[in-house]
Amino acid sequence: QVSMEEYLEMAEKDQLNEVRSFMMNRYQEGYLKGIHELDAHKILQKLIETGQAAGVLRFSSQVRAYAAFMWNSCFDEAEKKLLQSQIKAASLILSVFPGSRDFDGIVGDIRFAIESYAEQAFSSGVDHELAAEYLFEELSADDHFSVSIEASDCYHKFIDRLNKKRASTKFQKSVDELKDTPGLAMRLIRNWVQAFIEEQKLPEYADVIDEVSTLLLYKDFSEIRVKQVSLNANIVGLNGVHGVISDGVYDFHLNHFLIKLENYKANVANRLETLQSLKKKLSEEYREELKLNEFKPRVLSSFVRNKLIDEVYFPLIGDNLAKQMGAAGDNKRTDLMGLLLLISPPGYGKTTLMEYIASRLGIIFMKINGPAIGHDVTSLDPNDASNSASAQELKKLNLSFEMGNNVMIYLDDIQHCNPEFLQKFISMCDAQRKIEGVYKGKTKTYDFRGKKVCVVMAGNPYTESGDKFQIPDMLANRADIYNLGDVIGDTETVFNLSYLENCLTSNPILSRLVSKSLNDSYSVFQMVETGNSEGLKFEVKHSAEELQDYAAIIKHLLRVRDVILKVNKTYIESAAVAEEYRVEPAFKLQGSYRDMNKIAEKLLPMMNEKEVDTLIYSHYENEAQTLTSDAEANLLKFKSLIGQQAKEDKARWKFILEKFQDLQKKKGFGQNALLMESIGDIAGSLKGISESLKKE
């Protein structure tokens, strides 16, 4: 922070900015932007203005009286002479170098002396450090003690009252009797002055009783010592709401303000900081206990907001979330309800997309792992879980209910969950917005009406466990269902483009293009597709060699994308066919964003088409290793999709199809399958004989 001298040299606008920068991080103290910094600026201006005019009168009347009493009654002449000489020497240094702190040691000596005589003093609770600082400043300028206007007025009125009552002699006699015990004499005078103030009903003089008492004790009042400075001021135009502010006006008194400020710094501020530290500590401990850091959305650095997300998914998902949580402004619905159900093969970024949306909305992303819950769990009670993993997921789920607001409840891979378990969410997804949960062993009914809570479920019906993908009808009726692995409506163009957009960061060369400008990648796409670079605009400068490398890799990516789209389409079509209706083995190789990224990261500009085709086939050959006995049929089908079946491959594929279809026919005959197999053998033999006779 700047010094007071630097602050005073600033323009008013800069002063306000300085105050604002000091206060902007103090929200825990109730700071309101646009209100408190303006009020603080006005108060600070008046504080500096009045403080500079007041000089030593900025020290409270009690502090100044106490210091004067100690100096006159407790310090011996030798001490006073030694200290005065040191103070005078220090004042010379300060007159030349006002920023020097070499006098701190002298202030410390004065404070030590005051503390040594403190038991003889007339008052308690006075800050000895302040008294020492006051003595140093006062004696640096003069050998006499300053008097405030209020103390002067009270002194004169007290003397006048004594004279009117002919009590001056009595007063002085009672004081003289205690002249050898100045502490008692001071207390006696205070009693006289206090009685006078109460009789005359002059409460405005209550603050200067000690100061008036010292003037009466030492009989050294002089008008020359009275400083004609008012410590009161009205600060107008304040915007804050506070007990001391009335209609935007603050009745400012320098001494009162400084006393309150010191008390605040010494007591309130420390206690507030202790409270804030304790709250932070308890919050961190509770955060650790609840594992809240695990529920913060963590968007992948490779996440790309492609055109498919911007133009298709965001409007669809946004409409659903507005229906569940309400929209901002006049369009907010009162009948909040619904469910968002996302389905697709693995690798299409369902979780990544929703985590990104939760991050942008600023809400907790509570991901519940369906496989961990398992198909055996039908209750929301963690105590009914079959294992510790499912119990932990149910605890997270009930914690999301307990949070009650600003939560996205995301159930992932629900094909692994029991339909009876999913039924528990029916009432939460209709107009009731209620659900029965169990938190810390207690059953509770959670009401989410009007709350910023949404339910999102994601599943993969195309896996081998697809027969377990069963959504209760009443839940499906309440859901908006979108397949992220297939074209939605007339969005084929942006869906196909999304494969390219999502893999750009996976390739080391193209990632440099994306880091400079994602929009420039669309220009390169256009350049590759049209074969013409004329008229294209780029946001940043790219060298000719860089553009050539970008174009070469994107040309390869287009070839890869076309293959993966065929694989994806075939995979989905195959998965949608019931087992008894199949005419060929199930196709289990997948064509997702994940597959596209794996191939894209290995592409180089100097590759030719044959090398790219080899890379694609090698990828799927490796993927097929996990299919065990189905690997051969899937690879043969893949070769047929990309037109790379050799003569022997075609023969083998034909044999597999015939054998598969033959087995499919026999499945329908159950125990008669052996009989049908024998009949089939006889039919085959007769067919062979018939063909032989025809040849003859």
Side-chain angles (χ1 to χ4, degrees), residues 174-210:
S174 64
V175 173
D176 290 343
E177 289 177 355
L178 298 173
K179 63 181 179 180
D180 295 330
T181 53
L184 295 178
M186 186 68 181
R187 288 190 181 95
L188 175 63
I189 297 173
R190 288 186 83 259
N191 292 337
W192 277 86
V193 178
Q194 180 71 42
F196 158 71
I197 290 174
E198 291 176 358
E199 181 204 63
Q200 297 297 303
K201 298 180 180 179
L202 301 171
E204 63 271 21
Y205 295 135
D207 291 338
V208 296
I209 292 177
D210 289 343

Side-chain angles (χ1 to χ4, degrees), residues 42 88 151 217 226 289 293 314 322-323 388 441 452 490 556 597 640 651:
K42 291 180 179 180
K88 293 296 184 184
L217 176 63
V226 179
E289 179 184 343
N293 287 332
F314 276 175
K323 184 166 59 177
S388 58
K452 194 177 176 182
D490 57 351
H556 297 331
N597 290 359
S640 72

Side-chain angles (χ1 to χ4, degrees), residues 304 306 493-506 510 514 518 521-522 525 528-529 553-562 565 593 596-597 600 603:
V304 177
N306 55 44
T493 301
V494 290
F495 179 76
N496 295 347
L497 180 63
S498 67
Y499 276 83
L500 299 176
E501 294 168 306
N502 281 1
C503 72
L504 293 175
T505 56
S506 297
L510 292 181
V514 178
L518 178 61
S521 64
Y522 298 116
F525 292 160
V528 172
E529 290 176 344
I553 294 180
I554 288 176
K555 185 177 180 181
H556 297 331
L557 285 177
L558 289 171
R559 189 176 185 84
V560 175
R561 190 269 312 273
D562 292 341
L565 283 173
Y593 294 147
M596 186 78 181
N597 290 359
L603 289 174

Side-chain angles (χ1 to χ4, degrees), residues 674-690:
L674 291 175
L675 175 61
M676 292 305 300
E677 185 176 358
S678 299
I679 294 174
D681 291 341
I682 294 172
S685 299
L686 291 174
K687 184 178 179 181
I689 294 171
S690 174

